DNA sequence: TATAAATAGGATAGATTTGTCCGAAATAAA
DNA sequence: TTTATTTCGGACAAATCTATCCTATTTATA
């Protein structure tokens, strides 16, 4: 079960790391980020660009630049927004067995159960904020690598 | 969210189609299967071989051959066995954010929630038999394509 | 204005997954 | 025993995902 793509994994962890630092008014570089979340640097930079385009994080070009996230956005940004920016809406639509449409009136054999699991995942993504995840990292309750 | 690989999707649907037919004492060919479940024929044949190697279905070579499944096995085979035969145990282990190990004492930021979703998926796979899925197809409650 | 530092973005390479092709091996029936 | 049929299995091809490299562009500071 590949819940998220690699790109999405890196994006989530990078966003959390940026949130942790922005809460302390520190801008961070792709180099630092990829070291701290254990991800390939150039690939991570690409993913950061996507998060910038979706207005989840802010990039500052030029000397003394880097990535940061608006403090108010740390509180409001949900995991679902990050996943959407990178993987699109594939979480919400699509049949678990690849039928052309996931439809109550024309369900595949695992539709009912699959839908439950997916709903739970959706709730999880919709109800988890960057703020909470960043706090858990700061307090040492959870970790971004190893 | 790619819950199952394409190979796994095809494998599940193929196994159900074979079960439906074996319950009526009909052997089926990869050609017929792939038409009925809307999957690429040669690729599907490869996946069927994996199911044969894992003793989930039986293949009969030569003229009048094809694939079938032991009637007693229709009742006992669980979805989890099919998934395991094709995708391995990736459903049960591995961190949702790619940490080297998924560990209660060193959890990633989404560990608790992720674990819940995964447990639910695991229960679903462990408690769903081929028999029930085949019956739902026969009764027209669910569908294998479109 | 010149320079150094940093992100943006296109081109490309590697890895994995998905999919195809074809000959070999097996089997039932004529 | 021959033939037609069918799965098996290896080689190969295409598509997608992951990852790297290099140059352009932007910006702060001297
Ligand atoms: S139709 Fe397959 S998951 Fe809904
Ligand atoms: S450590 Fe990430 S899911 Fe368990």
């Amino acid at each position: 079960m590949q819940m998220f793509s690699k790109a999405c994994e890196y994006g989530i962890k990078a966003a959390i790391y940026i949130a942790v630092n922005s809460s302390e008014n520190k801008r961070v570089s792709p180099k630092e980020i990829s070291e701290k979340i254990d991800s390939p640097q150039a690939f991570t930079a690409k993913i950061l660009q996507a998060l910038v385009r979706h207005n989840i994080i802010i990039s500052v070009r030029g000397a003394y630049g880097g990535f940061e996230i608006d403090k108010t956005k740390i509180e409001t940004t949900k995991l679902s927004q990050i996943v959407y920016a990178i993987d699109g809406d594939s979480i919400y639509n699509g049949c678990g067995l690849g039928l052309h449409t996931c439809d109550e009136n024309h369900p595949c054999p695992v539709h009912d159960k699959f839908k439950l699991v997916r709903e739970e995942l959706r709730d999880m993504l919709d109800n988890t904020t960057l703020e909470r995840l960043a706090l858990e990292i700061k307090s040492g309750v959870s970790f971004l690598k190893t």
Side-chain angles (χ1 to χ4, degrees), chain A:
Chain A
M1 178 183 57
Q2 188 64 276
M3 194 70 88
F4 306 119
S5 64
K6 276 289 168 195
C8 211
E9 287 181 10
Y10 301 152
I12 291 171
K13 291 192 282 187
I16 295 172
Y17 184 73
I18 294 169
V20 166
N21 281 273
S22 286
S23 73
E24 297 166 355
N25 301 303
K26 282 193 291 186
R27 239 174 233 164
V28 285
S29 66
K31 183 165 182 294
E32 178 181 348
I33 295 170
S34 59
E35 280 165 3
K36 291 304 174 58
I37 72 173
D38 204 23
S39 69
Q41 182 178 332
F43 190 41
T44 305
K46 283 264 187 294
I47 297 157
L48 291 172
Q49 289 178 36
L51 295 181
V52 169
R53 279 194 298 273
H54 282 80
N55 298 308
I56 291 171
I57 60 177
I58 296 168
S59 70
V60 179
R61 295 169 81 158
Y64 294 82
F67 294 89
E68 60 186 41
I69 178 168
D70 203 280
K71 274 187 183 171
T72 67
K73 277 209 170 169
I74 296 179
E75 300 164 32
T76 57
T77 301
K78 299 162 185 169
L79 218 41
S80 56
Q81 295 172 266
I82 296 170
V83 173
Y84 179 81
I86 300 169
D87 277 357
D89 59 357
S90 63
I91 306 132
Y92 300 101
N93 348 5
C95 164
L97 291 187
L99 301 204
H100 297 335
T101 57
C102 177
D103 184 342
E104 298 292 339
N105 300 321
H106 191 88
C108 77
V110 301
H111 174 84
D112 290 352
K113 299 297 184 63
F114 183 82
K115 205 183 151 195
L116 280 180
V117 174
R118 191 169 59 188
E119 290 294 317
E120 185 155 332
L121 179 64
R122 182 226 274 265
D123 285 350
M124 186 262 262
L125 297 178
D126 270 347
N127 293 315
T128 307
T129 63
L130 260 190
E131 181 179 44
R132 189 161 100 229
L133 298 177
L135 277 174
E136 288 177 10
I137 294 296
K138 282 210 226 181
S139 67
V141 171
S142 66
F143 306 85
L144 289 173
K145 68 172 190 176
T146 315

